[in-house]
Amino acid sequence: SELRGLGQPKAVREVRSLCELHRPWVVSLLETRFFSDRVDGLVRSLGMEGGFRVASYGRSEGLALLWSQDVMVQLESYDKLHIDVTVRLTSSQSGEWRFTTFYGESRRELRPKSWDLLKLSSRSNLPWICVGYFNEVLRTEEHFGGQGRSEQQMEGFREAVQACGLIDLGF
């Protein structure tokens, strides 16, 4: 689900409602302008066990990853564009997987660096879930409004998706 304005009480209530309904192990938040004390408060408010955030700076708006008590999370890497973790169920010694929250560069000329980072994040033998906002589409018909996409621009993203072995879930 996409929610805007997470600092607003209505959006926080909606996230809380979604978490109560679906009981996710991991929650990814993009474009957060939260300060660390507010992320900690949101973690508690949602009944999550822990959280990690990448602060916003400049025009970049930050990322946050929250997790429930049902999983153990080990931070692998992070920067302004991603948070990459290994996740394991607390009730099991097996079942590890990678989870990456990803935010593609907003500036078109910098997106190839995003795709390089995505390819680096994929270098693991563990099952991998990568979620986020890539700031790009795979096909022209996926883009609505704004400036159109060139075939070359989309091709860079398609190559990265293929190189990483990702499957578009069609959200």
Side-chain angles (χ1 to χ4, degrees), residues 13-167:
R13 282 193 302 273
E14 182 66 21
V15 170
R16 187 179 303 121
S17 175
L18 287 168
C19 286
E20 288 171 359
L21 178 66
H22 297 290
R23 308 196 68 56
W25 290 330
V26 181
V27 174
S28 172
L29 303 172
L30 305 170
E31 296 187 346
T32 64
R33 289 189 180 169
F34 282 154
F35 297 104
S36 61
D37 60 330
R38 292 182 65 201
V39 170
D40 293 343
L42 184 62
V43 167
R44 286 189 301 276
S45 170
L46 297 178
M48 301 304 251
E49 178 69 17
F52 180 80
R53 71 168 178 90
V54 176
S56 58
Y57 63 93
R59 294 182 63 175
S60 170
E61 295 188 32
L63 308 169
L65 188 69
L66 314 178
W67 56 88
S68 76
Q69 64 186 8
D70 299 317
V71 294
M72 292 181 289
V73 173
Q74 178 180 325
L75 182 64
E76 300 295 337
S77 65
Y78 69 94
D79 69 11
K80 71 175 187 164
L81 298 178
H82 83 289
I83 301 172
D84 184 37
V85 298
T86 300
V87 181
R88 184 170 18 136
L89 291 173
T90 54
S91 61
S92 171
Q93 292 301 317
S94 62
E96 277 190 342
W97 70 94
R98 295 287 290 276
F99 187 96
T100 303
T101 294
F102 189 86
Y103 193 87
E105 275 286 356
S106 57
R107 292 178 44 203
R108 184 176 296 143
E109 66 274 12
L110 297 177
R111 286 196 197 130
K113 291 182 181 183
S114 292
W115 311 148
D116 291 343
L117 175 63
L118 191 60
K119 291 174 193 175
L120 285 173
S121 295
S122 72
R123 294 188 179 161
S124 171
N125 292 329
L126 295 176
W128 184 36
I129 299 171
C130 182
V131 300
Y133 186 70
F134 298 90
N135 261 320
E136 192 52 82
V137 294
L138 295 170
R139 293 171 293 285
T140 305
E141 59 271 11
E142 293 177 344
H143 182 71
F144 300 99
Q147 191 174 3
R149 299 289 203 249
S150 71
E151 188 61 33
Q152 179 183 6
Q153 185 178 337
M154 290 183 293
E155 185 59 30
F157 182 44
R158 282 193 292 259
E159 287 173 4
V161 167
Q162 183 176 10
C164 294
L166 295 173
I167 299 168

